[in-house]
Amino acid sequence: MRINLTSVFVDDQEKALRFYTDVLGFVKKDDVPVGEDRWLTVASPEDPDGVRLLLEPSGHPAVGPYRDALVADGIPLAQFDVEDVVAEHARLAALGVRFTQEPMEMGPVTTAVFDDTVGNLIQIAHMR
């Protein structure tokens, strides 16, 4: 058994696609119309056939309260691994990404948390 797909709920799929590709650097994998929405996935350019991230529409009534509670408590919805949190923080901040947690060392792990512009907090991390 292995993880093939995971998702983040997004307020606007097109805005999410631009952010996740143009800013974060993921590559678009799937873009299939599904009614008014799309089956829209991205993947890491370092592993384009690996785990995909579904940019899932946030229309379900349970999504709003769930995400609002996570954001209010500063809890990231997802975590992405990076080689150097400080360097990635600097790169993303230069592109205008808003961080809610600056790079922080916690034992063997360094993390930072940013707003993905479509309703979520995302954590980047690296374990030494």
Side-chain angles (χ1 to χ4, degrees):
M1 188 177 304
R2 65 185 175 89
I3 297 170
N4 180 45
L5 178 81
T6 189
S7 62
V8 293
F9 295 108
V10 300
D11 297 331
D12 179 321
Q13 285 186 300
E14 191 58 38
K15 183 178 179 182
L17 179 62
R18 284 191 307 273
F19 182 81
Y20 279 79
T21 56
D22 297 346
V23 176
L24 298 185
F26 290 104
V27 294
K28 181 169 69 170
K29 292 298 291 184
D30 304 293
D31 191 350
V32 179
V34 181
E36 294 180 12
D37 297 313
R38 297 148 65 184
W39 179 263
L40 184 59
T41 67
V42 296
S44 169
E46 297 169 18
D47 189 10
D49 295 321
V51 176
R52 287 173 292 157
L53 180 67
L54 175 63
L55 304 176
E56 178 86 28
S58 63
H60 189 281
V63 172
Y66 170 69
R67 284 193 320 165
D68 291 348
L70 290 177
V71 170
D73 289 344
I75 300 171
L77 183 67
Q79 176 179 297
F80 303 144
D81 185 49
V82 297
E83 287 298 317
D84 183 334
V85 171
V86 173
E88 191 64 11
H89 169 269
R91 181 185 80 81
L92 293 174
L95 292 171
V97 174
R98 185 179 71 82
F99 279 81
T100 61
Q101 177 203 304
E102 298 296 310
M104 176 186 301
E105 289 188 22
M106 297 177 282
V109 179
T110 303
T111 66
V113 178
F114 63 85
D115 179 340
D116 77 351
T117 74
V118 286
N120 306 293
L121 297 179
I122 304 293
Q123 180 170 276
I124 54 174
H126 179 74
M127 180 174 267
R128 294 179 296 286

